[in-house]
Amino acid sequence: MTGRFGSAAAAIVLCGTLLSGQAKTTGTLDIYVVDVEGGNATLAVSPSGESLLIDSGNGGAGAVRDATRILEATKAAGLSKIDYLIITHWHGDHYGGLVELAARIPIAHFIDHGPNIQPNQATDDFLRETYPTLYSKGTHSVAKVGDKLGIKGFDVRVVTSAGHVLSSPLSGAGAANPYCANFKPGDNNAEDPQSVGSLITFGSFRAIHLGDLTKNKEFELMCPANRVGTVDVLLGLHHGQDTSNSEVLVHALRPRVAVMNNGTRKGGLPEVMRTVYTSPRFEDLWQIHFSVLSGQEYTVPGLFIANWIDDQPAAMPINPVPLPAPGPNTPPAPVHDGAAHWIKVSAQQDGTFTVTNARNGFSKIYGRK
Ligand SMILES: [Zn+2]
Ligand SMILES: [Zn+2]
């Protein structure tokens, strides 16, 4: 009897070991879209464990929370360091958690679009006093359109940076974009259009993350000819804000899947939901949060949403809730400081990919098309 129990226990341990090491033996490119409360932190890991992190979450009171959540993703991926970090632009929801993150895991290469161009005292102080000490432990470079990162295991191509966009089409792209004729310019602040945009390819799988690139830059990138081509997965979507996500971008990229890094009261706006769901070839939208700005009318099934809020409301309103005007009396957005969950995309070289909601384990396979 003892011997049998012994071998059973050994078998269980062995099984556990195999499972925990699975990420490195599956041969997939794994992309974790981490919940950083309406900011951005997206981690891509090659089969051999080389990694790219796009943005580092919020600063201020959210910095430790977001750095800890990013660290959980690096642990799940078996990483002991981050090889490449791209800060898409100098807004606090994209670089704010960097000091706390860098204190927890080494970062080898720091990449950004160059100087901040939307004056902000805290950001300017950070760039002058703090950032150089962080990247002095690694290397620092400014992304130029057309650059290819030196990362192994998958390709990362810079398609936008510092207000510049690809001037000539990538291989296989360059067709006229039929959506340009109906383009309507949008509003933007100064920094969002500076975003470093990255096209990620792994075999025949393609995904794109454009930071918070706004509509007018989307037009420059995609019109009159689509210089990018198509993608399988559209990442980020500027939190689902309607200052981005024009048809010239979304419909021409023809994503099968989008993963939106929205907050509890940030993004998921009706116009964006309409654009995404009328996009040719589109199958599913996965969201980091329920957003009260969507209401039930514009929300995907909960299966596709990774995070609730700490205090569950009795019911989700059916109509989208209008965004309250900013000011001292604006009620705070619903809080989510508790356990957080990511959306994970696992892609194979043949273009097949699986998306998983880490909260409920719901998973869907997108076969070759
Ligand atoms: Zn959350
Ligand atoms: Zn943002």
Side-chain angles (χ1 to χ4, degrees):
M1 283 300 281
T2 309
R4 275 190 197 173
F5 274 119
S7 60
I12 289 164
V13 169
L14 179 63
C15 183
T17 305
L18 287 173
L19 283 173
S20 68
Q22 205 169 35
K24 292 187 175 172
T25 57
T26 52
T28 54
L29 171 72
D30 292 335
I31 300 173
Y32 301 79
V33 181
V34 178
D35 177 14
V36 288
E37 299 307 320
N40 183 59
T42 302
L43 176 71
V45 184
S46 79
S48 56
E50 279 232 343
S51 56
L52 163 69
L53 176 67
I54 302 175
D55 292 331
S56 58
N58 284 280
V64 169
R65 175 200 66 204
D66 288 0
T68 304
R69 291 176 179 181
I70 297 166
L71 200 72
E72 285 170 14
T74 65
K75 283 182 184 159
L79 304 182
S80 55
K81 70 178 193 312
I82 292 167
D83 296 302
Y84 290 83
L85 168 70
I86 292 175
I87 297 293
T88 59
H89 62 297
W90 299 118
H91 279 163
D93 56 331
H94 294 258
Y95 79 87
L98 184 50
V99 169
E100 295 296 342
L101 182 66
R104 287 164 172 77
I105 186 168
I107 301 169
H109 302 289
F110 294 71
I111 299 167
D112 55 64
H113 71 66
N116 175 38
I117 67 151
Q118 182 178 332
N120 174 300
Q121 194 61 53
T123 299
D124 295 338
D125 290 348
F126 169 83
L127 287 176
R128 192 178 57 251
E129 295 161 13
T130 308
Y131 190 48
T133 65
L134 298 179
Y135 67 62
S136 68
K137 294 168 192 146
T139 67
H140 171 236
S141 57
V142 172
K144 296 277 184 302
V145 167
D147 281 356
K148 203 170 155 185
L149 262 56
I151 196 163
K152 297 186 191 75
F154 60 107
D155 289 334
V156 181
R157 176 82 66 162
V158 175
V159 297
T160 65
S161 181
H164 301 288
V165 302
L166 275 183
S167 56
S168 52
L170 298 175
S171 170
N177 182 346
Y179 304 101
C180 298
N182 294 324
F183 176 74
K184 293 180 193 65
D187 294 330
N188 54 260
N189 55 47
E191 262 296 308
D192 285 341
Q194 304 289 309
S195 291
V196 178
S198 305
L199 178 71
I200 294 171
T201 56
F202 178 68
S204 52
F205 173 81
R206 290 159 64 93
I208 197 165
H209 195 304
L210 295 172
D212 288 355
L213 196 78
T214 43
K215 282 179 173 170
N216 298 349
K217 288 292 168 196
E218 293 173 354
F219 180 81
E220 288 179 31
L221 176 64
M222 302 297 287
C223 292
N226 171 358
R227 277 155 263 170
V228 176
T230 61
V231 299
D232 301 290
V233 178
L234 177 58
L235 295 164
L237 294 88
H238 186 184
H239 322 293
Q241 306 269 41
D242 58 8
T243 50
S244 300
N245 303 298
S246 60
E247 289 185 0
V248 300
L249 181 87
V250 179
H251 288 200
L253 288 176
R254 299 168 66 93
R256 297 175 65 188
V257 162
V259 186
M260 180 188 286
N261 54 6
N262 65 302
T264 60
R265 198 182 64 195
K266 184 175 182 182
L269 291 170
E271 179 193 324
V272 176
M273 302 299 273
R274 278 194 216 100
T275 302
V276 166
Y277 273 98
T278 52
S279 184
R281 203 171 85 118
F282 192 73
E283 295 178 53
D284 292 311
L285 173 65
W286 298 69
Q287 294 186 204
I288 285 298
H289 268 281
F290 285 86
S291 171
V292 295
L293 305 183
S294 309
Q296 292 190 45
E297 179 81 355
Y298 292 94
T299 297
V300 302
L303 280 173
F304 293 86
I305 303 178
N307 291 284
W308 293 350
I309 56 179
D310 292 342
D311 295 318
Q312 286 296 309
M316 185 79 173
I318 291 177
N319 277 323
V321 174
L323 184 65
N329 300 321
T330 309
V335 172
H336 177 226
D337 286 330
H341 309 280
W342 53 67
I343 300 283
K344 181 179 174 185
V345 179
S346 285
Q348 299 179 37
Q349 294 263 7
D350 69 359
T352 302
F353 62 100
T354 303
V355 185
T356 303
N357 178 347
R359 174 176 61 83
N360 55 19
F362 177 64
S363 194
K364 187 168 169 181
I365 297 170
Y366 298 86
R368 272 201 294 175
K369 272 202 173 168

